[in-house]
Amino acid sequence: MNDTYDVMIIGAGAAGLTAGIYASRARLSTLILNDGAIGGQMVLTNEVANYPGVETTNGYVLANTMKKQAKSFGCKIKSNAKIARYHLEGDVKSVELEDGRTFSAKTVILTPGGRPRSLGIPGEDTFKGTGISYCATCDGDFFRDKEIAVIGGGNSALEEAVTLTNFASKVTIVHQFDHFQAFEHAVEEARKNLKIEFVMESEPREFSGNGSLQSLTVEHLPTGEKKNIAVDGTFIFIGYLPNTEPFKGLVELNERNEFVVDGEMKTSIPGVFAAGDCINKRYRQITTATAEGTVAALSASEYLRQM
């Protein structure tokens, strides 16, 4: 049996769950299809201290609260949904799962999220959330008066390194080249900051520690010499990858493979919206994702009224 929903949401991160709350509360039949952990990148955050109205919580608890809210309004959530094919054109859109099931809807909200580009070196997975972070805004306050490293040489790395000096006692920037790829003003601001040191022409090789991160091993590329840097934390800013690979050729993407959306979260296909870390935007926070999920759900509701 293939029921047709009013709204079908692909992904159950902060944006997808919020869209599910708003759409189902508007009495629209709503389905969320999710492959992976409910909450997406949100569940990787050990402590959330900047979500308005909530003094402190963790990503897992916040995600499950959102899930309960969505389900309480009648939103259906199907996990482990591995989608094989998308059919997004026309008045009724549909997806085919690898197990042969098909789901259809009059509107679709794409919230597949994204993931920070990782180094892929020993210890990185071990210390994620206990010393290794990919978000200065989320976790900078946890490293007050501590020594940290920043990996990267682009605008994000240098700008976030300067931001992190508001918390850390020392920031060591590790970069693989002898020059930065950032704008000159970002480079100048970092270089004049007395809390920042630079380890150039070097790459990280291993993270080490006992329960929490304690040191970073780097290799000086011209000489092959390795050394350990004592750190309490490391922030990695070497790029961000939106989870949009299945949509290439289906929905308009920009040069960074992010969905191109307007202020109403509309994509290039009528009736298809997108929100969260997969869209063209600068800041990636739980609050920005929930805001975009809200707009996408309201826009989908308006689209259905116009139909």
Side-chain angles (χ1 to χ4, degrees):
M1 183 176 180
N2 177 21
D3 294 328
T4 299
Y5 293 85
D6 292 319
V7 181
M8 179 162 54
I9 300 164
I10 310 301
L17 291 171
T18 302
I21 290 170
Y22 271 80
S24 56
R25 193 166 187 266
R27 298 187 179 276
L28 300 175
S29 58
T30 305
L31 171 68
I32 296 178
L33 296 176
N34 187 63
D35 177 21
I38 297 292
Q41 291 291 310
M42 182 165 46
V43 301
L44 301 178
T45 305
N46 282 344
E47 185 174 354
V48 178
N50 56 1
Y51 194 84
V54 179
E55 286 191 1
T56 183
T57 185
N58 64 57
Y60 178 82
V61 171
L62 186 57
N64 274 275
T65 301
M66 290 182 181
K67 175 184 175 182
K68 289 178 182 177
Q69 282 179 291
K71 293 181 74 172
S72 73
F73 295 124
C75 180
K76 294 183 179 179
I77 301 176
K78 296 187 183 296
S79 298
N80 301 314
K82 300 186 183 300
I83 299 174
R85 280 172 290 278
Y86 293 87
H87 305 281
L88 301 178
E89 298 288 350
D91 291 339
V92 176
K93 296 86 166 59
S94 66
V95 298
E96 300 174 34
L97 272 56
E98 291 180 358
D99 61 13
R101 289 181 294 168
T102 300
F103 297 96
S104 301
K106 300 170 186 174
T107 63
V108 172
I109 300 175
L110 303 174
T111 61
R115 72 263 185 209
R117 192 186 300 273
S118 62
L119 292 166
I121 63 174
E124 183 174 7
D125 288 338
T126 302
F127 296 107
K128 280 181 181 177
T130 56
I132 294 178
S133 174
Y134 304 85
C135 177
T137 305
C138 310
D139 300 328
D141 190 47
F142 303 134
F143 295 92
R144 215 171 264 280
D145 301 321
K146 297 182 181 296
E147 296 187 4
I148 61 175
V150 167
I151 312 300
N155 286 310
S156 293
L158 295 186
E159 290 170 1
E160 299 290 29
V162 171
T163 298
L164 288 165
T165 60
N166 293 324
F167 308 103
S169 59
K170 177 182 176 183
V171 177
T172 301
I173 296 178
V174 179
H175 186 41
Q176 64 186 138
F177 302 121
D178 62 356
H179 61 281
F180 293 108
Q181 289 78 41
F183 293 132
E184 189 58 35
H185 73 270
V187 176
E188 289 179 2
E189 190 173 3
R191 288 199 181 280
K192 71 182 182 182
N193 194 304
L194 298 180
K195 284 189 175 182
I196 296 179
E197 292 189 8
F198 301 89
V199 177
M200 306 298 287
E201 297 183 277
S202 300
E203 289 184 349
R205 290 291 179 253
E206 184 176 4
F207 295 102
S208 305
N210 183 15
S212 61
L213 181 63
Q214 294 173 321
S215 72
L216 166 64
T217 302
V218 300
E219 179 181 346
H220 186 236
L221 298 178
T223 63
E225 179 184 354
K226 292 183 179 180
K227 70 174 182 178
N228 292 328
I229 302 173
V231 292
D232 299 293
T234 296
F235 289 78
I236 300 172
F237 302 111
I238 57 173
Y240 196 85
L241 301 173
N243 296 326
T244 58
E245 292 89 347
F247 304 97
K248 289 183 178 179
L250 299 177
V251 185
E252 183 184 358
L253 306 175
N254 64 13
E255 68 279 2
R256 295 183 299 277
N257 291 321
E258 300 161 328
F259 291 120
V260 176
V261 298
D262 64 10
E264 296 177 347
M265 302 298 127
K266 294 177 181 177
T267 69
S268 57
I269 301 177
V272 177
F273 307 84
D277 288 353
C278 56
I279 69 170
N280 52 308
K281 64 176 184 176
R282 178 176 181 183
Y283 298 110
R284 293 179 171 85
Q285 297 289 298
I286 298 174
T287 49
T288 59
T290 56
E292 294 147 8
T294 300
V295 174
L298 295 175
S299 296
S301 178
E302 177 63 23
Y303 175 86
L304 290 169
R305 282 196 294 270
Q306 292 177 355
M307 285 182 66

